[in-house]
Each structure stands twice: as structure tokens, then as C-alpha cells.
Amino acid sequence: MPAKRKSKADALAELAQVRGIEPGFRDARGEDKRTAPETQRRLLAAMGLQPTTEEEIQALLAREEQTDAVALPSVIVAPLKKNRCVVELPSSVQGESLEWHLVLEDGSQRSGTSVVKRARPAGKGAAPQPRIELGDVPFGYHRLHLPSLDVSTTLIVTPGACWLPEGFSEGAGLWGLSVQLYLLRSDQNWGIGDFADLRELVVAVARHGCQVIGLNPLHQMFLDDPEHASPYSPLTRLGLNALFISVPEAPGYEESTDLQDWMATAEFRNQLAACRACPNVDYAGVAGLKLQALRLLFQDFSGRPKAERDGFEVFRREHGETLRLNSIFQTLRQNFAAADPPSPDWHTWPEEFRDARSSAVARFADEHRDEIEFLDWLQWVADEQLARAAQAAREAGMAIGVYRDLAVGCDHAGAETWTRPHAFLSGVQVGAPPDIFNPAGQNWGLPPFDPRSLREEAYSSFVELIRANMRHAGGLRIDHVMGLQHLYCIPEGMNAAEGAYVRYTLDDLVGVLALESHRQGCLVVGEDLGTVPEGFRERLAAANILSYRVLFFEQDWDDGTFLPPSMYPKLSLAVAGSHDLPTLVGWWEGSDIDLKESLGLYPSSDEAGRQREQRARERAALLEAVQKANLVCGDMDAEKFLVAAHEFLARTTSGLVAPQLDDLLAEPDQVNVPATSTEHPNWRRKYRLTLEELARSEKVWRRAGSIAESRGRRKPEVRRPA
């Protein structure tokens, strides 16, 4: 009897699933959500598939099956276990043995013949999976060739699990401080926290036993639009924000007469005083001052000592095409942003400039070589200053030191999508489905990687991204780490509740992450908040990726009780909150609810009231958990709550605890309010105290006293890769 013919809707759903579009998910309230056919169609279109008939869908399915049957995929990621590298092959591979040839990353070569072993994978009806063993292959990026089949692939050999400081998994009990660098105030900076401030902060907190400084993303931003301030929507995640450069520590500062003369003017002094006095970061004002000063210094750079000039040239060679194209992009963007009408988004540029490698772009680069070299120089200066801050952490004996943050995406109109448009899905934005804190869902406006393109390029875009953000870092926080397995993708023109999850190759990406983590000696933390897939946290724990545990969320959602300190995983970072969440004072007083209500962020008029009732229950439940831990008794006010919350975190079994500087300073307002842009001054509110005041404030350190006392004594020996 012939098989029953699939309906068009069923065939579309099958094609969507083959291309990684998940059929549905379970939301934060435990309800099953199915992916709508229209969402499937639009996401498939973003992947370059636009079937209109059932026959076209069937033809595409047949093509996908044929592609999956090829002798080797474009990349294989294989963990090295017991000094054996096992390479899994497609089920179509025949024969009892295979000859292989391996070109290692260092250029050396190996050859051999391996018996083809076959193991039946889990799953009803699954075909036996052939595999071969290559022996003890070094970690790295190699090329594997199978002569009898005349096929080759990139072979990535990985340790499988990320690097950890000595003794961490046994309960080293470290602590650190979470800081938004741009919000730092000091007597020396120019109205925005900078890398010199970071170095001074390292020295100050190391005295209290602090082992890590957790930072916001340091990604390169739009110099032509400095008020575009969100560090989670950068020009590119492959460079550094030039506004973090400390001008007084830039090459030639003391010797430049032009700069010193300009700084002596009343205009400069007044602008600098205004930038320093402003309670919010004046990005445009800061950018105007810093870029003018840095241009004056760059004019004299050709006369600097040869060692400095050679260092700059080495940096340019090491960063190669990526650095060059990012600087060309910024120069082009400045050119088109100043045009009439302005068109800073590269998608609206004349067609010949939309291709980063076109002859028109090459001519433009030749005509603007001085500006491009200046932008390269800014990246070098920023890199050198970040390196000095990292060196200060090492000299202070910090087990981890500088801990960077990798944003889940880049701005759709930025350099990443211009230089590698093939690597991203066009017409799609990353976000999050509706949940308890954001009932309408979230659209972050960030383009996702194209999972198939990533595999076809052997994950080179991902490798470059991880390396760039582990540079000068002992730790890396991966924002929305669920993106290693899947991302919630919203087609253009649809609302946040109409998106669907698109799947990535989790084991491959974790393998790459583990390899780079060991090479850099860099601990990895995954920000696993929101809708977390079943089994995902266990998979990350097996790879030594720390879970990100937020005090407010560590509850039993069935009865509302908060988990005791003993229930926090050892492989986790415990925090009170983050930039997107209320501060401890704000949470205690409920000011975050008032703010969201005033901004119209609740979907109904009575939602704010429900949130206040829920908060009252949560306050009572958290106090009960704190009291059970024998930490407080009696009446509680905001100040007592700050101390108690940090004492509670100090007692958790998490391997790492990191209070926010915002909470040590008793800041009432959170840094960012999700789902807002111009409605609220996000990413701008400076800290109450200057660095100098922070260093000598007894009240600040009393709020974190229990953490520093119980965890500051433990300083594990750190062994980093040579």
C-alpha cells in the first residue's frame, strides 16, 4: 500500500525542522507553544528557501536528504578522549577500513589506515554510525583527507571541557565584582570610565581578596553615533570601544604641544568639566573631546620611538583583514552619515559599497588611508591599555582577573554583517519569548548567525569571535548562552510572541569554546536565564561552563520558596542581579515596578498591581530563606537587606560569587530597562562614588564584608597556558 502523501503544511513543517526551525517549545509558564506555519515560511525565506507549492517543498526535502548523505561534512568537531581521536562519519560510508591523511595545524602531516567501526546510535530505526580512530591527535584545527573517497574536511580536535582555575571544581570559593566600566567616575577620567580606571579598580579591590572584575561588553561602538550606547548592540564584537581609551595614557600625551595647547583653552576645560559633572554619561560630549585629543596625538605618532611604531605594525599584521575592514567600514559609515540625506545603515549605501571586498571599497580605502590608519591606531591603543589592566590583575594575584562579556549579537547595520553577510540570517531578529518578567516577549533587534553557513565555513566566524573576546581575559561571560543550542528568532514584521527557535550544533560550538578556553586560560560562564531547554544546564556543566545563578530567580516556582545556599551548583556564578534587572534596593522597594508602569511596559492596566502583590510574596519568601540560613532576624530595611543578601550569596556553594558595584553603592535604579531605548536613559547612569571615594568607603565594603571575609582568604594557585 503506498505511503500516505503528506499535506503541504506537514511537508513545510518537515522542511522547517530539517533546516533547524524547531516545531515548538515549552515556555516559562510550562505551556507548550507550537511554531506557526507563517513563522516557518518566513524563517525558511531568510535561509534562502521560498517554496510556494507542495512539489517545491518535496524537491527541497529531497535535496536536503542528498546533502546529508555526502561522505564528509564541511567540519567535524571531535573531543580527544583517553588520547584517542574518534571521527564519526556519515552512515553512507562503506568498507571495512579507510586510509586517511591528516595535515595538522602546525603544518606537519600524518597518514594511516583505520578500521571502520559501526555503532548503532540511540533512536528507533537509526542506521549504524561508522567511525574511525586517528590515535592521539593534538588539540587544534586540522585538515582530514580520505583518499579513497576523495573528500576532505576541517577536523577540530577539542578537550571537550573548558579551563578552570586550579581547585575550582573542588570548591575554591572565589569572589569578584561586577562593574559597568563606562559608569565609573574618577578624578582623572574624561566623563566616562576608561581602561586606566579599570587598572586602578583592580588594585583597589585586590586588597579585599577579590579574584575577578566582571565587565560589560567592551565591544567596538559607532564613533559617528556615540549616543548609540548599548554595549549589547555594537558595531562589531571583534574590536574594542575606543571611548574606553584613557587619553592621558595614550602614546605621546606628555610630549604633544598641540594637545597641551588645546587642553589649556577655556573651551576644552569647560567641556571636560561638564562631562565629568554630568550624572549620566554624555557620550557625544565625551566622544568629541576624546577623538579630538587622540587625533592630535596620532598626528605626532610617526615621530614616536621605533618600538612603539613597530608594536603598532605588529598589531595590524596580527589582526589583518578583520581590523582593516572594520576601520574601512567605520570610515565609510562616517562618510555616508554625513551625506545629505544621511544613510549610516550600510544596507542603504550605493550598491558598489555594500560588498566589503568590491573594487569601489578598495578605491575608497586607498583615498582615505590616513583615516583608516587612525582607526586602526585607536584599536591598538585600546588593546594596549586593556592589556595593562589585565597585567595589573595578574600582578595582584587574581585567580581570574579581567572577566569580559560577549554580547549575543551585533547591530544589524554594523561591520560584522557588512564584512560577513553570508554568516547571518537577513530579515530576522533575535529575542526572547514571553516570560514572567517580560509578558510581551522581547525583540533585541540583533541578527542571528546562519547555522548552516557557520558549519560550511568550519565555524571560523565563531572561532574569531571567541578569540577576540578572550583576549586579555581570564574569564568570559557568554550572554544568552542558550544560543549555543538555539536562538529565538523573530521574522521581520512579526511581534515577539510569533517567533520560533532555530537550532545550532551545540556539541560543535561547545567543543570550539573548550578548545579556545584552554588555549587562553579563560574560564567560561554561560548566562542561562529565561527559557532554558531541558538538559541544557547539565550539558554545560559537563563542559565546565559555569551556570549564571541570580538570587531573585533561584526559587521553587511551584511553592515560591527560595533555594537555600547549599543548593547552588559548585560550577556556577552566583549574583544578586544584572544590568537588566532591578538592583537590590530597587527590588526591595519595588521601584522597578513603578518605573515599568510609568513607561507603559505592562500589557494591561492591572498588571502592575499583580506585580506588586507578587513582589510582596517574594520579599517575604526571601526573608524566610535568609532567616533559615541564620543570617538576620527582626525588622528589615533596605540597608540591612543589602548586607543580608550579600551574606546569603557568600554562603552559597557556588564556585564564584560576584556582587554588583551598583549594589555595594546602594544604587536604586537599574542600568538598563529591557524593551526601552529612548524612553529611559539606559546605559548612562554613573555610579554615586568616584573610584577614589570607593577605595576608602567603609560602608561600601561593609555591605560586601561577609563575601570578602569568607571567600577572600582562599586564593588558589593558577596555572595558565604558556
Side-chain angles (χ1 to χ4, degrees):
M1 186 174 179
K4 185 178 179 182
R5 187 178 178 87
K6 293 186 180 74
S7 69
K8 182 179 178 182
D10 288 343
L12 180 71
E14 183 179 348
L15 178 61
Q17 193 160 355
V18 166
R19 289 306 300 262
I21 302 167
E22 297 181 4
F25 65 96
R26 179 160 291 182
D27 70 10
R29 298 182 186 275
E31 298 176 358
D32 289 328
K33 300 294 182 182
R34 308 304 296 171
T35 302
E38 181 61 22
T39 302
Q40 293 169 342
R41 276 192 290 271
R42 294 202 191 188
L43 288 175
L44 284 169
M47 297 173 180
L49 304 178
Q50 295 181 285
T52 57
T53 66
E54 183 182 345
E55 289 71 21
E56 289 176 347
I57 296 173
Q58 296 293 352
L60 287 171
L61 279 170
R63 192 178 77 185
E64 292 294 324
E65 289 176 5
Q66 191 175 21
T67 301
D68 289 342
V70 298
L72 280 181
S74 55
V75 61
I76 295 174
V77 180
L80 189 69
K81 296 180 179 179
K82 298 180 180 179
N83 297 327
R84 294 185 307 154
C85 177
V86 177
V87 176
E88 294 191 351
L89 305 172
S91 57
S92 58
V93 171
Q94 303 297 318
E96 297 302 318
S97 64
L98 275 180
E99 180 186 351
W100 53 266
H101 182 72
L102 194 60
V103 180
L104 300 179
E105 189 176 28
D106 63 5
S108 61
Q109 301 185 30
R110 297 181 184 181
S111 296
T113 301
S114 294
V115 174
V116 178
K117 299 180 180 179
R118 287 176 169 82
R120 189 171 295 278
K124 186 177 180 180
Q129 189 75 41
R131 60 187 63 180
I132 57 174
E133 292 184 10
L134 305 182
D136 189 2
V137 180
F139 299 137
Y141 303 86
H142 316 303
R143 287 295 295 176
L144 173 65
H145 180 58
L146 304 180
S148 62
L149 302 175
D150 193 26
V151 290
S152 298
T153 186
T154 296
L155 175 64
I156 303 176
V157 181
T158 168
C162 294
W163 175 88
L164 290 174
E166 190 78 16
F168 190 94
S169 56
E170 288 76 40
L174 308 180
W175 80 282
L177 189 63
S178 176
V179 176
Q180 304 292 311
L181 179 60
Y182 50 93
L183 301 183
L184 287 176
R185 295 169 56 213
S186 72
D187 294 341
Q188 302 302 317
N189 77 36
W190 286 21
I192 188 172
D194 57 34
F195 290 132
D197 288 336
L198 175 59
R199 193 180 67 249
E200 293 303 311
L201 180 64
V202 162
V203 173
V205 301
R207 300 190 189 106
H208 297 272
C210 179
Q211 298 293 320
V212 58
I213 295 288
L215 299 171
N216 54 279
L218 304 178
H219 305 323
Q220 187 172 348
M221 302 301 288
F222 298 88
L223 293 180
D224 60 284
D225 184 16
E227 291 296 335
H228 179 101
S230 170
Y232 292 92
S233 182
L235 178 143
T236 175
R237 294 168 292 175
L238 299 172
L240 294 171
N241 188 346
L243 296 188
F244 291 148
I245 292 173
S246 168
V247 175
E249 298 202 355
Y253 175 81
E254 296 289 348
E255 296 84 358
S256 174
T257 56
D258 288 342
L259 175 60
Q260 299 302 326
D261 288 345
W262 177 62
M263 290 173 58
T265 65
E267 179 184 14
F268 170 82
R269 292 197 302 270
N270 291 338
Q271 289 177 352
L272 178 61
C275 286
R276 284 175 170 169
C278 186
N280 293 328
V281 178
D282 177 0
Y283 285 99
V286 168
L289 288 176
K290 286 200 171 186
L291 291 177
Q292 174 66 14
L294 292 166
R295 286 185 187 280
L296 291 172
L297 292 178
F298 179 67
Q299 289 175 7
D300 298 334
F301 186 69
S302 61
R304 297 294 298 163
K306 184 177 183 300
E308 284 186 4
R309 290 183 282 113
D310 288 348
F312 175 42
E313 290 307 318
V314 168
F315 177 83
R316 296 182 84 185
R317 286 196 299 272
E318 286 179 348
H319 290 75
E321 185 182 57
T322 296
L323 175 67
R324 175 177 169 275
L325 288 179
N326 287 343
S327 294
I328 291 173
F329 174 84
Q330 179 67 77
T331 306
L332 274 165
R333 187 181 155 93
Q334 289 166 183
N335 181 70
F336 287 115
D340 188 17
S343 53
D345 186 338
W346 69 264
H347 297 87
T348 67
W349 294 351
E351 190 170 352
E352 63 268 26
F353 292 107
R354 296 178 201 170
D355 180 356
R357 293 159 183 85
S358 71
S359 57
V361 168
R363 287 193 301 273
F364 178 89
D366 188 57
E367 294 165 359
H368 296 80
R369 64 172 65 91
D370 289 346
E371 178 66 12
I372 292 164
E373 186 177 357
F374 168 64
L375 294 171
D376 287 354
W377 181 81
L378 290 181
Q379 288 300 304
W380 173 67
V381 174
D383 184 80
E384 289 284 299
Q385 293 191 0
L386 176 59
R388 288 199 287 273
Q391 179 62 30
R394 287 191 293 271
E395 291 173 354
M398 286 188 169
I400 299 170
V402 174
Y403 157 98
R404 295 179 61 176
D405 195 349
L406 173 60
V408 68
C410 57
D411 193 282
H412 81 283
E416 276 189 66
T417 57
W418 181 71
T419 57
R420 291 190 174 186
H422 66 277
F424 295 88
L425 293 178
S426 180
V428 177
Q429 294 89 38
V430 175
D435 59 27
I436 295 168
F437 275 80
N438 297 282
Q442 298 177 66
N443 185 335
W444 303 326
L446 308 170
F449 274 133
D450 182 330
R452 176 157 297 194
S453 292
L454 273 185
R455 291 194 300 273
E456 289 175 350
E457 64 168 28
Y459 302 114
S460 61
S461 295
F462 183 71
V463 172
E464 185 177 27
L465 188 62
I466 295 301
R467 284 180 180 170
N469 286 276
M470 285 185 172
R471 187 172 172 87
H472 307 312
L476 179 67
R477 173 188 182 271
I478 299 180
D479 186 44
H480 195 69
V481 74
M482 284 80 74
L484 297 177
Q485 176 168 320
H486 65 192
L487 283 173
Y488 188 72
C489 295
I490 306 160
E492 212 165 64
M494 302 186 84
N495 66 50
E498 297 175 299
Y501 279 102
V502 173
R503 187 172 60 252
Y504 294 80
T505 313
L506 174 64
D507 287 344
D508 285 4
L509 297 179
V510 167
V512 170
L513 191 58
L515 174 57
E516 294 300 325
S517 169
H518 275 272
R519 288 189 162 182
Q520 306 298 327
C522 188
L523 168 145
V524 179
V525 176
E527 188 261 317
D528 50 354
L529 304 180
T531 306
V532 182
E534 186 177 351
F536 180 76
R537 280 177 162 170
E538 291 78 6
R539 175 65 185 90
L540 294 196
N544 286 345
I545 298 174
L546 274 63
S547 181
Y548 189 78
R549 298 304 175 103
V550 178
L551 174 63
F552 299 146
F553 297 159
E554 291 305 293
Q555 302 181 42
D556 183 328
W557 294 104
D558 291 330
D559 61 16
T561 59
F562 280 80
L563 301 184
S566 60
M567 292 293 289
Y568 283 62
K570 285 184 179 179
L571 283 179
S572 69
L573 164 62
V575 299
S578 73
H579 54 270
D580 284 339
L581 296 172
T583 62
L584 284 172
V585 169
W587 187 88
W588 178 260
E589 297 178 343
S591 58
D592 61 308
I593 300 174
D594 298 338
L595 178 59
K596 286 185 177 181
E597 182 181 31
S598 70
L599 294 171
L601 297 181
Y602 291 124
S604 61
S605 58
D606 55 353
E607 179 64 28
R610 285 196 292 269
Q611 291 285 336
R612 291 187 181 96
E613 292 172 1
Q614 176 65 18
R615 182 63 54 80
R617 290 192 292 271
E618 289 179 340
R619 276 198 300 265
L622 184 54
L623 278 181
E624 182 180 355
V626 168
Q627 288 169 343
K628 283 182 178 179
N630 298 317
L631 294 176
V632 295
C633 59
D635 294 335
M636 179 76 74
D637 58 17
E639 181 63 31
K640 290 180 181 178
F641 176 64
L642 281 175
V643 175
H646 288 126
E647 288 180 347
F648 189 88
L649 287 175
R651 293 196 184 187
T652 64
T653 46
S654 292
L656 180 60
V657 169
Q660 292 189 104
L661 182 55
D662 309 71
D663 291 326
L664 298 189
L665 297 176
E667 300 283 359
D669 300 324
Q670 64 200 73
V671 173
N672 176 57
V673 180
T676 66
S677 54
T678 57
E679 305 94 328
H680 186 72
N682 296 325
W683 317 111
R684 287 166 169 79
R685 181 261 300 149
K686 293 180 185 177
Y687 292 124
R688 290 180 170 184
L689 302 183
T690 65
L691 273 176
E692 294 79 11
E693 292 167 335
L694 170 65
R696 58 177 180 264
S697 172
E698 293 183 5
K699 179 180 284 188
V700 166
W701 296 110
R702 186 166 61 247
R703 290 168 181 151
S706 57
I707 295 177
E709 181 179 351
S710 64
R711 291 171 172 259
R713 294 189 297 268
R714 289 174 263 183
K715 297 184 180 181
E717 179 184 354
V718 181
R719 298 174 185 172
R720 295 187 181 278

